Amino acid sequence: MSDKPRINVAQYHELTKHRFDGFARGPETIDWDAQPDPFRRFDGAPFDTLPLNADELELPFSSLYADDPIPAQAMGRESIATLLEISLALSAWKQYGGARWSLRCNPSSGNLHPTEAYLIARHIDGLEDGLYHYRADEHVLEQRCRFSNTGETPPTLLLGLSSVHWREAWKYGERAYRYCQLDAGHALAAVCYAATLLGWHITPRYEVSDETLSSLLGIDRRADFTGTEPEHPDLLFSLHATPGTSPDVEQLIQATAHGTWTGQANILDNKHFYDWPVIEEAAEASRRPALSTPSTPHFQAFPYPLPSPCNEPAARLIRRRRSAQAFDGTTVMAQPDFFRLLDHLLPRPGFAPWDSLPWEARIHPVLFVHRVGGLPNGLYALPRRQGALVQLQQAMRQEFQWTKVEGAPDHLPLYHLITARAGRTAATLSCQQAIAGDSAFSLAMLGEFEENIADSPWRYRELHWEAGVLGQVLYLEAEACGLRGTGIGCFFDDGVHELLGIQGKQLQSLYHFTVGAALTDQRIITLPPYGTR
Ligand SMILES: Cc1cc2nc3c(=O)[nH]c(=O)nc-3n(C[C@H](O)[C@H](O)[C@H](O)COP(=O)(O)O)c2cc1C
């Protein structure tokens, strides 16, 4: 690839919009038997089969919102096993007829799971110092690099995420780069929730360049990836049992440079029938350079989150999270549940998963309310940052009313725009998917687009990560009030903008979501994630 990308992120976004007169470019036919392997492994690398101990973590989901801090567990192999089991591990196998597929704690567009996870550990109880790849299919850590003497450094644990774009591109073609970023956001939030439940803190390392992250994770080692699909660096974050300084990444790079490497990446797909070069161009155009360490932004101070009445163990709720395939079209969501769910979308440092996004909110949901107790059906908006209210008001239709919703908690920036039966419209805009209209409500996540990507094109990815984080909150909160959610990546972009009266590129819809009472297909059999282990 030449130094200069052939496409910029704004062009990529435009190119990959679904339109009423045509979908973004993708494969014409799909051979399901030829799906790329959803599990990466490094053949020849020594591995450690982790214990399955998440059932021992009995903290109720409500503890995520309690005033008392969650006590920190000692960092070690056992607690790391729990962290992974309730964030990125398999949560079940499903079987129907001759088909069998696995599900994970973190959702993924098309269940294709482009996200890979790596751990860097130094002086962690029960783990040799080194870099590990996490294999979700076996709940195993594969040791990619063994560090030689790392000296007297404090205990260090970092988690890095990367994406195999081809896994999504195989099915979704050019739009797939967006889905990879949304999935990475879900994975980031999933890890943040898990860390919080262990009483740990996370510090995202957005200052680290993609190039450095690639070296740190060993995904730039071409010889170890011969003939197979590359991985692209996404995210890095430090985990701490007690708040502390984040480890020096340069030192870790030195440790990997002098370490002993093992393992050869498996080939995920032997035959690529299509090629979507704009994906690599978009990746190139949105590469993250090295940045100065971000100063902590001044977050709007919202009061403490509304308490959650859900006393089910969080570790169980997380593993039973599922996407709804269909909704009953009748169940009315209780108003307090609706307000609490929206309240938990407000960014609050110190509460999961908001420490993963050290910037002021850039994503603002517009809701299509279909069945919520005591609320007129219609369109609503939740500007998640104070200044965004005016921005949204100016950008959207003049006839919208912007009335603060009566009965909602005072601090909740929920505005009623217009009364309407919007079920069919919501479904139409979400690629004719009935799940967007048969639910209690669905929503479109508007991102502050143009201004963010103009000088900092890597923020294109951050916007999608933030949307993915919101999606993960919605999934868990829906489960916590006895409902179910589904992420919706397929929508007619400009159809949504037109409905809302948005012209220009100041705001763009980046992700949709829907929440309601799910209908479950009883014919599908559920099996445990790791057999009889
Ligand atoms: C970014 C993203 C986009 C998605 N888009 C859709 C969609 O458009 N329609 C749909 O029915 N499901 C969608 N899903 C749900 C996935 O199909 C689902 O997460 C996947 O099949 C795994 O199932 P699970 O969530 O029950 O673990 C999406 C999920 C994500 C994370």
Side-chain angles (χ1 to χ4, degrees), residues 236-429:
L236 179 71
F237 33 100
S238 316
L239 296 154
H240 312 266
T242 49
T245 48
S246 292
D248 177 11
V249 169
E250 266 317 307
Q251 264 185 22
L252 294 168
I253 291 278
Q254 288 306 316
T256 56
H258 297 114
T260 312
W261 287 83
T262 39
Q264 188 70 35
N266 61 331
I267 293 174
L268 305 176
D269 184 356
N270 273 315
K271 285 195 200 103
H272 292 205
F273 284 112
Y274 293 88
D275 184 24
W276 308 108
V278 294
I279 290 192
E280 296 320 304
E281 290 173 31
E284 188 60 26
S286 55
R287 272 174 87 84
R288 171 183 294 277
L291 300 168
S292 49
T293 310
S295 52
T296 313
H298 180 75
F299 279 103
Q300 183 178 346
F302 290 109
Y304 263 56
L306 296 177
S308 170
C310 175
N311 283 323
E312 178 178 354
R316 194 164 77 201
L317 182 142
I318 285 170
R319 287 174 295 159
R320 69 168 178 76
R321 178 213 61 79
R322 298 279 182 275
S323 290
Q325 315 280 313
F327 292 106
D328 66 6
T330 53
T331 300
V332 174
M333 182 177 190
Q335 199 183 77
D337 288 345
F338 180 67
F339 290 152
R340 189 179 54 255
L341 178 147
L342 297 185
D343 173 65
H344 291 176
L345 289 178
L346 301 177
R348 292 181 173 98
F351 287 89
W354 305 114
D355 287 340
S356 63
L357 303 171
W359 53 74
E360 278 202 292
R362 299 166 181 160
I363 298 282
H364 312 289
V366 169
L367 299 109
F368 301 78
V369 168
H370 313 310
R371 291 167 194 88
V372 176
L375 283 193
N377 290 352
L379 295 188
Y380 292 74
L382 184 77
R384 296 173 58 250
R385 174 177 74 75
Q386 217 159 31
L389 171 61
V390 175
Q391 197 182 341
L392 294 186
Q393 283 173 328
Q394 286 172 352
M396 287 159 66
R397 277 186 196 284
Q398 288 312 301
E399 61 261 41
F400 286 163
Q401 292 148 12
W402 294 96
T403 328
K404 194 103 192 306
V405 171
E406 230 177 276
D410 280 348
H411 68 271
L412 191 71
L414 179 64
Y415 296 87
H416 183 205
L417 306 184
I418 196 163
T419 301
R421 281 166 65 109
R424 201 172 291 172
T425 306
T428 303
L429 292 174

Side-chain angles (χ1 to χ4, degrees), residues 103-104 107-111 182-183 186 321-323 433 435 475 486-490 511:
L103 296 176
R104 306 192 197 185
S108 164
S109 182
N111 201 23
L182 291 169
D183 279 9
H186 276 284
R321 178 213 61 79
R322 298 279 182 275
S323 290
Q433 299 185 80
I435 48 171
Y475 265 119
T486 306
I488 300 182
C490 189
Y511 190 23

Side-chain angles (χ1 to χ4, degrees), residues 145-284:
C145 180
R146 182 157 50 83
F147 298 164
S148 38
N149 182 11
T150 51
E152 281 301 305
T153 50
T156 302
L157 185 67
L158 291 104
L159 205 147
L161 298 177
S162 66
S163 296
V164 181
H165 297 153
W166 177 248
R167 286 210 185 103
E168 288 284 331
W170 166 79
K171 179 174 177 199
Y172 294 115
E174 295 189 340
R175 197 170 160 101
Y177 186 61
R178 300 184 186 202
Y179 297 159
C180 290
Q181 308 310 316
L182 291 169
D183 279 9
H186 276 284
L188 167 65
V191 174
C192 198
Y193 272 110
T196 304
L197 288 165
L198 294 168
W200 298 353
H201 306 263
I202 87 157
T203 309
R205 308 297 300 270
Y206 289 106
E207 76 281 9
V208 175
S209 71
D210 278 355
E211 200 182 339
T212 302
L213 183 52
S214 287
S215 316
L216 198 59
L217 305 184
I219 55 181
D220 63 351
R221 295 175 60 84
R222 292 219 176 147
D224 299 351
F225 286 80
T226 309
T228 180
E229 296 75 7
E231 292 179 30
H232 288 256
D234 286 329
L235 284 147
L236 179 71
F237 33 100
S238 316
L239 296 154
H240 312 266
T242 49
T245 48
S246 292
D248 177 11
V249 169
E250 266 317 307
Q251 264 185 22
L252 294 168
I253 291 278
Q254 288 306 316
T256 56
H258 297 114
T260 312
W261 287 83
T262 39
Q264 188 70 35
N266 61 331
I267 293 174
L268 305 176
D269 184 356
N270 273 315
K271 285 195 200 103
H272 292 205
F273 284 112
Y274 293 88
D275 184 24
W276 308 108
V278 294
I279 290 192
E280 296 320 304
E281 290 173 31
E284 188 60 26

